[in-house]
Amino acid sequence: MTIDFRRHRESRKKLRAAIRGGTLGLLDIGTSKIACLILKFAEGNRKSSRSEHLQDTKRLAYRVVGVATKKSRGIKSGEVVVADEVEKSIRSVVQQAQKMAATTIDDVLICFSGGSPVSKNLFGELKLETPIVETRDIGALLSKYDFGTASSKREILHAMPINFTLDDKTGLIDPCGLAGQTLGLDVNLMTVDQNALDNITQCFNRCQLGLAGAVFAPYASARSSLVEDELKLGSACVDMGSGSTGVSIFLNHQMVFGSTVKFGGEHITSDIMQAFKISFEEAERIKTLHGGVVITNLDDRDLIELSSGDKAEGVLNYDRPFVSRSELISVIRPRLEEILEEVDSQLDLGGFDHLPSKRIVFTGGGSQLPGFYELATDLFGSRVRIGRPMRIQGLPQALHGSQFSAIIGLAIEASYPQDEVWDFDMPFRAGATERFRLAVNWFKENW
Amino acid sequence: MIRSEYQHHNKTKGYSTPSKLRYRIERIWRRVWLRKLILWVLILIFFATSLTSGLLIFKNEFNFRGFKSTMEAFAFERPELSIIDLNIKGANPDLSNQIKAILQLSFPINPLKININYLQELINDVESVDFSKIRITKNGILEVVIRERIPVALHRDGKQLMLLDIDGRRIGEVFSRLDRQDLPLVVGQGANYRVKESLEIYKLASPIINRVRGMILVGERRWDIVLDGNLKIKLPEKGAKKAFSAFLESGEVMKILRQDFSAVDLRNRGKVIVRTKTTVIREEKI
């Protein structure tokens, strides 16, 4: 089945138009919080963003002019469960950010962590007609790939060219202008559940916002958290989110593997909630204020007072007014270990062991638990780092925490987008029936 | 059911969200061009109202007329635009003096201040002007071209002696018959409307023109030719010219006219009735 990537190309067009227009909205719809940034692009680089390949441009100068974060509603492990509620939370967060920026946004770039993502590597080869590789050869090579997903219920989120090979050479970033006979290309194909993506898209459409692209959330967090060496030599970025934990493996500046674990901080909170029979909010409060991973002797005597919840409700009266910190940690730690074990299995799946530098960067809200570093080093060895996102211009200090790494990564991605398969012009490759079907479709859509 | 529970659960600890309508209105309101437009409209309204109210409040203090005249002087009173002279063509010196007096123009004058149509009316009201044309030439001269009416007859109406043109329109007054002895005299009510006819009869009367003193229109019907010696030739109402010419061609004319008659009556066709002086008749009667 041929895939024409029309949807992706339209998103790209919107992204380009938004950058040219000067403002772009970024939205991270997480399980626990929803965040919106509004970027203002500098006047000078709008012209250059007209070029065909986004990567041709220099890194675009931008500044954050509007910020808003809210508790998210109607989202469960990165997917929409109550569309109406999601729409409302998008509306409120976008409105607040627009108010701060004193402008409006029409197109948004979002990051997406749900939809049970599957990462698949494709490889193809092409005998070159000319001795020198040209740009159209890449397109011709790409048109030979079978991007057709296993089931029609899957949607392609990313299809990134990650590694060019030319004859027996590998690890090439740009083969154009090099001499060779056989051009090979690895493509990392990231697919997600189509319904999950459509749900999100629908919510945005109902808020009069166009989708300028959806970015895999762990990929975005990695772009903001990994430093140059880590990107180059190979490392994993683990985004400890609330509903899910994202894993992405980078080598040679390219994401070679991406996955998610369906456990996150929310599960830790619900464990606490069940262990001490307290409300979810209270559990979240004691987790963030008093939580930890490593028990010390002092923690037995460190008693945490449980507030009786929302007094106006008058429902929750706890059996015990106090919980000791060691008890709390003993609830948190097993679940965290479980999550990290799941992450480890995903890393194994992604061939993490074969990377030259086996560094793991933890980011996201979950990595802020005190003692998390110790636990991670216990499990993964010494090449572990707690990452915080890079600084971007105009973002308040409070929003540079690791829980905002995904949305900051989105800003970086918007300013310097990764080339995707659909950024190359693929020669039309279709049989007679296919051509006829496309012509009929064209008529249907235009009349 | 599940959903409503969920919403209730969330509402208690959620936050208020803008309604769909409010969200859309705010998005529209944030458009920069709209704000700029509204700003400019407001500025415009502000200036317009302040200007008009200011003028209304201070209209007594403000010398509008002086302002207007200075502005006009600035805008219009330019030497290159003004009219410097009047030139009347096709009129005798008397008439042109008369027209100059009527127009009452003092030069140089601004062309915007004179009303050409009004001037034209004034000139046309002069009795001896048949037709006039006014224009302003390139070198700033007001040119009046006139066609005069030509007097052809005198008309005595009561004590007035009027000059008539060929159409019977009055041109002017003459104080004495002696002023225009060259023109024939017609008398009687309505005689001025039949100038043409009277002139034709005059032409016929050329053999006896030395004796003709004038013509009287009797009862607005028929003509009497008055000769000296108070002799009247009474012409018929119809065929007056024919009867008169027939009378003149007969050999009797000189004979009859030499007699001391008071009237020669041509009203009966083929007959000439003469009347002796009434005094004689009266004497006979008495």
Side-chain angles (χ1 to χ4, degrees):
Chain A
M1 196 182 101
T2 320
I3 289 175
D4 55 0
F5 296 115
R6 183 179 297 155
R7 204 165 138 176
H8 302 91
R9 287 202 169 118
E10 270 169 21
S11 290
R12 272 293 202 239
K13 235 180 257 173
K14 275 184 193 163
L15 179 62
R16 238 175 256 142
I19 289 171
R20 209 177 305 144
T23 49
L24 175 69
L26 310 174
L27 259 137
D28 175 16
I29 304 177
T31 310
S32 68
K33 62 141 190 8
I34 174 165
C36 175
L37 295 191
I38 296 178
L39 299 187
K40 190 138 203 113
F41 285 88
E43 193 85 36
N45 54 36
R46 288 188 201 160
K47 207 174 197 175
S48 61
S49 66
R50 260 175 219 156
S51 72
E52 265 310 301
H53 287 262
L54 286 166
Q55 217 174 28
D56 288 350
T57 62
K58 296 257 161 47
R59 194 177 284 267
L60 304 175
Y62 61 90
R63 186 180 173 79
V64 178
V65 289
V67 181
T69 57
K70 294 248 173 179
K71 180 177 177 293
S72 84
R73 285 151 57 164
I75 295 272
K76 201 171 180 186
S77 50
E79 287 171 27
V80 178
V81 286
V82 187
D84 198 31
E85 292 287 319
V86 174
E87 193 194 323
K88 276 183 186 169
S89 52
I90 291 171
R91 271 210 308 263
S92 64
V93 80
V94 166
Q95 194 187 35
Q96 200 181 338
Q98 281 181 164
K99 200 171 177 182
M100 181 174 166
T103 180
T104 49
I105 49 173
D106 293 320
D107 297 305
V108 289
L109 189 66
I110 63 161
C111 64
F112 186 69
S113 60
S116 35
V118 172
S119 174
K120 189 164 86 171
N121 276 16
L122 305 173
F123 182 71
E125 273 188 329
L126 179 77
K127 278 264 181 235
L128 293 176
E129 290 161 8
T130 51
I132 305 283
V133 182
E134 287 167 38
T135 319
R136 58 183 169 83
D137 289 329
I138 300 171
L141 172 60
L142 284 171
S143 69
K144 295 178 81 179
Y145 282 80
D146 181 21
F147 290 111
T149 45
S151 101
S152 59
K153 296 274 186 218
R154 305 289 292 177
E155 175 74 35
I156 296 171
L157 197 62
H158 288 294
M160 297 173 172
I162 51 174
N163 183 34
F164 285 100
T165 60
L166 198 56
D167 297 337
D168 50 356
K169 259 184 278 178
T170 182
L172 299 173
I173 293 164
D174 188 359
C176 292
L178 299 181
Q181 279 78 47
T182 316
L183 180 70
L185 175 59
D186 286 294
V187 172
N188 181 24
L189 188 71
M190 182 71 80
T191 59
V192 292
D193 189 19
Q194 187 169 23
N195 292 339
L197 194 59
D198 282 349
N199 288 340
I200 290 267
T201 315
Q202 278 305 308
C203 289
F204 280 104
N205 287 346
R206 280 202 291 267
C207 296
Q208 296 182 310
L209 296 170
L211 209 58
V215 177
F216 184 51
Y219 171 76
S221 336
R223 283 206 68 168
S224 70
S225 307
L226 299 188
V227 296
E228 184 73 18
D229 279 0
E230 289 162 348
L231 286 170
K232 177 83 185 150
L233 297 172
S235 54
C237 178
V238 180
D239 184 356
M240 309 285 295
S242 165
S244 62
T245 300
V247 179
S248 56
I249 299 175
F250 273 70
L251 178 63
N252 242 344
H253 293 275
Q254 303 292 344
M255 184 173 75
V256 295
F257 176 77
S259 176
T260 54
V261 176
K262 289 259 173 186
F263 292 118
E266 201 184 50
H267 297 89
I268 299 172
T269 310
S270 71
D271 283 348
I272 297 167
M273 183 174 93
Q274 283 163 21
F276 305 122
K277 299 186 182 64
I278 54 176
S279 71
F280 189 86
E281 274 67 35
E282 181 63 10
E284 184 73 29
R285 187 182 73 85
I286 64 170
K287 182 187 83 170
T288 49
L289 289 179
H290 308 285
V293 179
V294 183
I295 304 177
T296 59
N297 288 338
L298 200 65
D299 289 336
D300 289 334
R301 276 171 282 151
D302 191 355
L303 294 181
I304 301 159
E305 192 182 355
L306 300 175
S307 73
S308 58
D310 195 347
K311 287 197 174 68
E313 278 185 23
V315 180
L316 296 161
N317 280 312
Y318 306 123
D319 301 344
R320 329 187 295 172
F322 294 103
V323 169
S324 78
R325 188 158 184 259
S326 53
E327 278 177 299
L328 179 63
I329 290 171
S330 62
V331 174
I332 293 173
R333 184 165 174 129
R335 177 61 91 168
L336 205 54
E337 280 175 355
E338 189 193 355
I339 292 170
L340 291 183
E341 274 162 19
E342 283 290 328
V343 167
D344 193 29
S345 70
Q346 289 297 325
L347 289 178
D348 281 345
L349 206 64
F352 181 68
D353 290 339
H354 305 294
L355 297 183
S357 141
K358 298 185 190 60
R359 200 187 249 299
I360 303 180
V361 177
F362 286 94
T363 184
S367 67
Q368 287 175 330
L369 271 177
F372 180 85
Y373 179 73
E374 282 76 15
L375 177 65
T377 42
D378 281 354
L379 286 169
F380 295 107
S382 61
R383 312 194 72 128
V384 165
R385 182 171 75 89
I386 307 295
R388 308 192 86 222
M390 299 179 192
R391 300 198 57 85
I392 56 172
Q393 266 226 315
L395 192 66
Q397 178 69 46
L399 271 77
H400 270 107
S402 51
Q403 66 267 42
F404 294 102
S405 58
I407 196 158
I408 292 169
L410 270 187
I412 293 164
E413 168 74 15
S415 72
Y416 192 55
Q418 169 80 45
D419 257 352
E420 304 264 10
V421 160
W422 44 86
D423 290 324
F424 296 96
D425 288 325
M426 284 180 238
F428 194 71
R429 181 179 63 98
T433 53
E434 191 78 348
R435 274 166 196 275
F436 181 73
R437 192 179 60 77
L438 284 173
V440 169
N441 278 355
W442 186 81
F443 270 94
K444 267 185 194 167
E445 279 169 21
N446 288 285
W447 273 282
Chain B
M1 200 63 196
I2 293 166
R3 188 161 160 172
S4 67
E5 284 276 324
Y6 182 91
Q7 279 172 336
H8 173 72
H9 177 70
N10 246 319
K11 216 166 261 175
T12 51
K13 46 198 168 172
Y15 43 86
S16 66
T17 53
S19 71
K20 209 165 216 173
L21 187 71
R22 213 188 136 178
Y23 172 78
R24 289 191 179 189
I25 287 170
E26 253 188 52
R27 273 173 69 83
I28 293 165
W29 178 234
R30 284 201 191 287
R31 306 276 158 187
V32 176
W33 62 265
L34 184 75
R35 294 188 155 213
K36 274 186 184 164
L37 183 78
I38 289 168
L39 181 72
W40 280 109
V41 166
L42 285 178
I43 287 171
L44 217 70
I45 288 170
F46 172 74
F47 274 106
T49 48
S50 56
L51 201 72
T52 48
S53 59
L55 289 179
L56 285 177
I57 291 163
F58 297 111
K59 70 179 170 192
N60 295 331
E61 284 80 353
F62 194 74
N63 186 3
F64 277 112
R65 221 157 262 187
F67 179 73
K68 201 183 159 194
S69 61
T70 35
M71 286 312 287
E72 270 181 6
F74 176 73
F76 306 123
E77 285 185 9
R78 310 223 160 209
E80 57 267 28
L81 289 179
S82 61
I83 297 172
I84 50 170
D85 202 3
L86 175 69
N87 183 12
I88 298 171
K89 279 185 180 172
N92 59 35
D94 281 351
L95 183 59
S96 65
N97 281 340
Q98 194 187 351
I99 287 169
K100 271 178 194 170
I102 286 169
L103 294 183
Q104 287 182 329
L105 296 174
S106 58
F107 296 100
I109 194 170
N110 189 335
L112 294 169
K113 280 188 179 170
I114 58 173
N115 184 350
I116 295 279
N117 289 338
Y118 175 66
L119 294 184
Q120 183 111 41
E121 257 175 51
L122 280 181
I123 292 168
N124 286 347
D125 282 350
V126 176
E127 284 166 328
S128 56
V129 174
D130 183 20
F131 168 82
S132 72
K133 210 191 244 175
I134 299 182
R135 65 191 185 101
I136 297 165
T137 60
K138 266 181 194 168
N139 35 20
I141 291 169
L142 190 71
E143 200 175 72
V144 183
V145 180
I146 282 171
R147 199 167 76 202
E148 276 188 82
R149 284 183 185 147
I150 304 156
V152 293
L154 276 174
H155 178 224
R156 192 190 292 279
D157 187 13
K159 284 183 179 172
Q160 279 184 319
L161 261 178
M162 304 297 297
L163 286 166
L164 294 182
D165 73 345
I166 191 84
D167 298 323
R169 271 177 301 201
R170 288 166 187 187
I171 296 169
E173 204 176 334
V174 175
F175 297 104
S176 163
R177 175 77 177 95
L178 297 174
D179 286 349
R180 298 302 297 262
Q181 278 184 315
D182 55 324
L183 296 180
L185 177 70
V186 290
V187 183
Q189 205 176 16
N192 53 337
Y193 299 120
R194 300 171 72 166
V195 173
K196 227 174 228 176
E197 195 187 338
S198 70
L199 285 180
E200 281 165 6
I201 293 168
Y202 254 101
K203 209 177 262 174
L204 290 178
S206 53
I208 54 166
I209 200 73
N210 293 338
R211 294 200 59 195
V212 174
R213 284 181 57 199
M215 288 174 70
I216 301 170
L217 188 65
V218 181
E220 294 188 47
R221 280 187 296 119
R222 56 175 201 84
W223 291 102
D224 277 3
I225 301 172
V226 181
L227 308 183
D228 55 355
N230 217 9
L231 170 63
K232 280 180 186 170
I233 300 172
K234 296 183 174 189
L235 298 179
E237 196 179 333
K238 282 177 186 171
K241 281 183 274 179
K242 206 177 166 187
F244 187 47
S245 59
F247 169 66
L248 288 175
E249 280 161 18
S250 66
E252 307 292 310
V253 183
M254 288 304 154
K255 208 169 139 192
I256 289 172
L257 294 183
R258 232 175 276 137
Q259 303 286 325
D260 196 18
F261 293 126
S262 74
V264 179
D265 195 345
L266 303 177
R267 284 180 290 181
N268 294 328
R269 194 182 290 174
K271 256 190 225 171
V272 178
I273 300 168
V274 292
R275 195 185 294 166
T276 53
K277 292 261 165 90
T278 45
T279 47
V280 179
I281 295 166
R282 201 179 292 143
E283 275 169 15
E284 281 177 0
K285 272 185 181 174
I286 296 164

